[in-house]
Amino acid sequence: MKKEITISEAQEQVDHWIKTVGVRYFNELTNMTILMEEVGELARIMARTYGEQSFKDSDKGKDLGDEMADILWVLMCLANQTGVDLTEALRKNLEKKNIRDIDRHKNNEKLK
């Protein structure tokens, strides 16, 4: 696998893996639930690494990047299942934020 990968290429690779190794996609509701589970695992590591909670033995050795990648994986599964092109969706989202929030954060007294 090459070092850099586009979002579109990643979506294609996830789709290929699911259809060959994974047999088929879980249904959308199952994948949505798995996504929440993966976000919870990331939250657990964040709370222990950057927050005030202490690590349990079962938390030690968890990789922050791997947990984030698990989230991306399941998100790409959902995108593939529902026909969402994440590259285009992200482009549109960035455009929206650049228009809507052009001065919002600059004018936020809480951020100064």
Side-chain angles (χ1 to χ4, degrees):
M1 186 184 314
K2 68 183 184 176
K3 186 172 181 160
E4 292 185 18
I5 183 171
T6 66
I7 296 171
S8 179
E9 290 169 336
Q11 274 191 255
E12 288 175 17
Q13 287 184 20
V14 167
D15 188 62
H16 177 75
W17 189 94
I18 291 292
K19 291 177 178 175
T20 57
V21 178
V23 181
R24 66 170 180 81
Y25 284 93
F26 295 131
N27 69 43
E28 296 84 353
L29 181 57
T30 299
N31 273 336
M32 186 65 208
T33 306
I34 292 169
L35 178 62
M36 295 302 98
E37 180 181 290
E38 296 297 348
V39 169
E41 289 176 16
L42 175 63
R44 185 179 187 93
I45 293 171
M46 294 294 292
R48 282 150 178 77
T49 303
Y50 301 100
E52 297 169 343
Q53 282 195 311
S54 60
F55 280 90
K56 295 179 182 176
D57 287 338
S58 61
D59 298 325
K60 294 178 182 171
K62 299 280 183 166
D63 180 88
L64 192 62
D66 188 54
E67 297 302 331
M68 290 180 182
D70 284 344
I71 292 167
L72 280 173
W73 176 275
V74 181
L75 185 62
M76 288 183 183
C77 286
L78 283 166
N80 288 345
Q81 289 176 278
T82 58
V84 173
D85 176 341
L86 285 173
T87 300
E88 183 61 15
L90 181 58
R91 186 195 64 73
K92 286 180 180 177
N93 191 272
L94 289 169
E95 184 178 293
K96 174 185 76 176
K97 284 176 174 53
N98 281 321
I99 293 168
R100 181 190 66 198
D101 299 331
I102 192 74
D103 292 318
R104 179 172 163 228
H105 299 297
K106 290 177 197 172
N107 296 330
N108 183 346
E109 291 298 320
K110 295 177 183 177
L111 297 177
K112 295 182 180 184

